[in-house]
Amino acid sequence: MLVVEQLSRAVLKPVNLELAQGACIAVRGASGSGKSLLLRAIADLDPASGTVSLDGQDRNAMPAHQWRRQVTYVAADSGWWLDRVGAHFEYPDIAAGYLLRLGFHGDVMSWPVSRLSTGEKQRLALLRAMVQGPSVLLLDEPTSALDPEATSKVESILHEKIQAGVSLILVTHDAAQAKRMSQQRFLMTDGRLTPEIS
């Protein structure tokens, strides 16, 4: 279980959350309301006060890279720092099993990153994170650049991950997606997280 207690930073008001294994929480809100800040604070990418733990282990009790391997943040526009797609994948054999399901044909791993569309980058960034085997995925608008068919493929794989015990915090502007994917839904307004009343 991921436990967030009094997590706050400049814009983010204190947040308390509990995310059970194999559960999904969706967070919606206007641009600039603090949704991405929340995910980044949980991932320990930005300084924040409060505590975050996974299965009883405080994130401060382990090196940051070890925490981020277990609690992995996927930005809406993820970084690509090497020339070829495959160079970004630690486990290309595992990734290969998902490529067709995500709509990729041919040898995408040999492609230059410069060839990728925004939507292709989004799907591959999600795959890059999944194949590391995290316990928690922090997903920031993972389908914002995708058409309905590609979105459906991504959601199908995410549902499988949830059923396998991976936990998700999903930031999405799409209310219908939030309902399809999550058991709990929240709204972020001016840095304050509140349960969404349906």
Side-chain angles (χ1 to χ4, degrees), residues 9-93:
R9 53 166 303 179
V11 177
L12 195 63
K13 308 300 189 295
V15 171
N16 296 291
L17 275 180
E18 288 190 358
L19 178 62
Q21 182 180 1
C24 178
I25 288 173
V27 180
R28 297 190 309 118
S31 295
S33 61
K35 305 180 303 295
S36 298
L37 291 176
L38 172 63
L39 297 188
R40 290 181 60 84
I42 292 171
D44 200 20
L45 290 167
D46 296 325
S49 60
T51 60
V52 184
S53 62
L54 180 63
D55 298 332
Q57 187 170 17
D58 191 294
R59 72 175 178 191
N60 293 327
M62 66 180 79
H65 73 275
Q66 187 179 335
W67 173 259
R68 292 176 196 141
R69 201 168 184 81
Q70 296 179 67
V71 180
T72 303
Y73 171 64
V74 183
D77 186 12
S78 292
W80 297 85
W81 50 91
L82 299 169
D83 291 339
R84 297 280 167 183
V85 171
H88 294 85
F89 284 82
E90 189 174 355
Y91 304 105
D93 292 345

Side-chain angles (χ1 to χ4, degrees), residues 141-196:
E141 299 283 6
T143 60
S144 59
L146 305 185
D147 61 27
E149 182 182 356
T151 295
S152 178
K153 289 175 179 177
V154 166
E155 288 182 2
S156 175
I157 290 172
L158 290 177
H159 275 299
E160 289 176 14
K161 290 295 177 185
I162 291 167
Q163 289 174 356
V166 177
S167 306
L168 269 65
I169 299 180
L170 170 69
V171 164
T172 179
H173 66 281
D174 185 341
Q177 181 177 64
K179 287 183 179 178
R180 288 193 301 269
M181 294 299 302
S182 65
Q183 296 82 36
Q184 287 182 283
R185 290 175 286 282
F186 291 84
L187 292 175
M188 182 72 80
T189 309
D190 296 328
R192 190 174 303 282
L193 192 68
T194 56
E196 184 175 349

Side-chain angles (χ1 to χ4, degrees), residues 76-77 116-123 145-146:
D77 186 12
L116 299 176
S117 70
T118 302
E120 287 169 337
K121 285 180 181 176
Q122 262 191 331
R123 283 176 284 160
L146 305 185

